[in-house]
Amino acid sequence: METTENKKEFSSIGLRIFIGTALIFAIQIGCQKLLVLLKPEWAENYDIMFAAGMVPLYVIGYPIALLLMRKKDSPVIEKHSMKPWQILLAFMSSYGLMIVGNLTGLVVTTGIGLIKGAPVQNVLLNAVTTGNIWISAIYIVLLAPFFEELLFRKLICDRAIKYGQGTAVIVSGLIFGLFHLNFNQFFYAFLLGCFLAYIYVRTGNVKYCIAIHMMVNFVGSLLGGLLLNNVDLQTPMGAMIFGLYGLCIYAIAIAGIILLLVNKSKITLKMGEIIIEKGQRFKTVILNPGMLLYIILCLAVMIVQALM
């Protein structure tokens, strides 16, 4: 009976995020289609179409998803503060994990590209290299980290924390990774999501997750996009500038991975008030109707996107 109730709890999480995700992307696509019907000439304007997808996402889509995931009787996570230098070190570790995940995604998408005979489209790269970089910055650096951390870290972890910090971390990271709906971003989003979830369950303060997420998106996406848009890589100076940028980000990533390895013994996760038996954890957390529905939806979209 207890296992059945626990399964229902995780199924509820999966079903709520499934509905929220479906609504988010239905609203995005619907607004873009409506805009094209009203103004067909705008279909060729990347900035307008990008805004048509992003504005309803953050004005309508995310608020609905936040309401769906909210739970009044969630346990209160004990709060702890982080010093500025700890936030900086956490950013470096986050960036290291992101690079590892990004390289993994690159290997996977390269393999898929070889099989289908054409490269897999990189959605994020298109966003930062096409259209106005400053418009993209508003969404990528400011809005996305704020809303994503509230939904995927705070609200999901708040629901899952009673089953232990480890369970909350994995559920948060998996749901966050799948939400990106493409193989380019899944692996690094999963690792980054797990690490940010760890920070949240250990500090009880989502503001640190938001700050680190903003820093990661700024260095990894906006700064790189600015260089790609404004530096001529065909010139020696342009190649040198971009090369220095590459060296810097990989230096940050390597330092971050070293920090994680050196401090791995200090990374601990507390048990929850509800203990799921060892042989029942995967069945309880993942093999339930709501979570399976969400996973199947996301994987189906990811496969279709990769094969397009």
Side-chain angles (χ1 to χ4, degrees):
M1 182 63 72
E2 186 177 325
T3 301
T4 302
E5 290 303 313
N6 295 339
K7 255 190 171 183
K8 286 182 179 178
E9 180 73 36
F10 286 103
S11 184
S12 176
I13 293 173
L15 184 59
R16 288 167 189 271
I17 200 66
F18 167 80
I19 295 171
T21 301
L23 281 173
I24 281 172
F25 290 104
I27 290 168
Q28 271 192 305
I29 295 169
C31 287
Q32 288 176 328
K33 296 292 185 184
L34 179 61
L35 193 64
V36 171
L37 285 174
L38 295 174
K39 291 281 187 177
E41 63 272 20
W42 284 353
E44 302 302 319
N45 189 311
Y46 183 86
D47 289 334
I48 291 176
M49 294 307 296
F50 187 71
M54 293 297 108
V55 171
L57 169 65
Y58 293 108
V59 173
I60 303 171
Y62 266 113
I64 292 175
L66 291 170
L67 287 173
L68 283 170
M69 193 55 65
R70 188 178 177 187
K71 190 176 183 182
K72 293 181 179 179
D73 59 345
S74 297
V76 176
I77 300 175
E78 186 178 349
K79 295 192 181 298
H80 300 278
S81 61
M82 290 181 72
K83 295 179 173 60
W85 63 269
Q86 291 176 313
I87 295 173
L88 179 60
L89 294 182
F91 155 70
M92 293 170 66
S93 296
S94 297
Y95 205 81
L97 289 171
M98 195 187 81
I99 291 295
V100 170
N102 191 46
L103 291 174
T104 304
L106 183 61
V107 170
V108 171
T109 53
T110 299
I112 295 172
L114 290 173
I115 293 171
K116 75 170 189 173
V120 176
Q121 289 188 1
N122 190 322
V123 178
L124 182 61
L125 183 62
N126 291 340
V128 298
T129 57
T130 307
N132 190 306
I133 188 67
W134 298 111
I135 293 176
S136 299
I138 294 172
Y139 303 112
I140 295 171
V141 180
L142 298 177
L143 294 176
F146 178 77
F147 282 96
E148 287 176 359
E149 292 310 308
L150 286 180
L151 177 60
F152 296 103
R153 239 60 65 197
K154 178 170 173 48
L155 295 184
I156 288 178
C157 286
D158 284 353
R159 280 179 167 268
I161 193 69
K162 63 184 178 183
Y163 296 96
Q165 292 180 344
T167 299
V169 164
I170 294 298
V171 170
S172 172
L174 178 63
I175 290 176
F176 182 59
L178 289 169
F179 179 79
H180 287 75
L181 298 178
N182 65 82
F183 288 108
N184 294 99
Q185 294 175 279
F186 168 75
F187 297 97
Y188 77 71
F190 169 70
L191 293 177
L192 179 62
C194 285
F195 188 74
L196 291 174
Y198 170 76
I199 291 173
Y200 176 66
V201 300
R202 294 308 302 268
T203 66
N205 281 299
V206 75
K207 64 183 180 183
Y208 299 127
C209 303
I210 294 171
I212 294 166
H213 197 157
M214 285 181 174
M215 294 164 69
V216 167
N217 282 11
F218 173 78
V219 174
S221 299
L222 179 62
L223 195 54
L226 283 170
L227 290 176
L228 286 172
N229 287 338
N230 296 285
V231 173
D232 186 357
L233 299 181
Q234 302 303 316
T235 65
M237 180 61 72
M240 184 179 72
I241 291 172
F242 203 79
L244 287 172
Y245 165 73
L247 286 173
C248 287
I249 63 172
Y250 276 98
I252 292 171
I254 292 169
I257 295 299
I258 292 172
L259 280 169
L260 285 172
L261 292 174
V262 169
N263 293 289
K264 63 180 181 180
S265 60
K266 298 178 183 178
I267 299 175
T268 58
L269 294 162
K270 296 179 181 179
M271 303 293 286
E273 60 184 71
I274 299 176
I275 307 298
I276 302 173
E277 292 181 18
K278 194 171 182 180
Q280 298 296 318
R281 290 171 188 170
F282 184 76
K283 293 179 183 179
T284 303
V285 177
I286 303 298
L287 297 183
N288 56 73
M291 289 294 289
L292 286 174
L293 194 61
Y294 176 70
I295 292 169
I296 291 169
L297 167 71
C298 294
L299 285 177
V301 176
M302 289 165 68
I303 291 168
V304 170
Q305 186 272 336
L307 297 177
M308 286 177 62

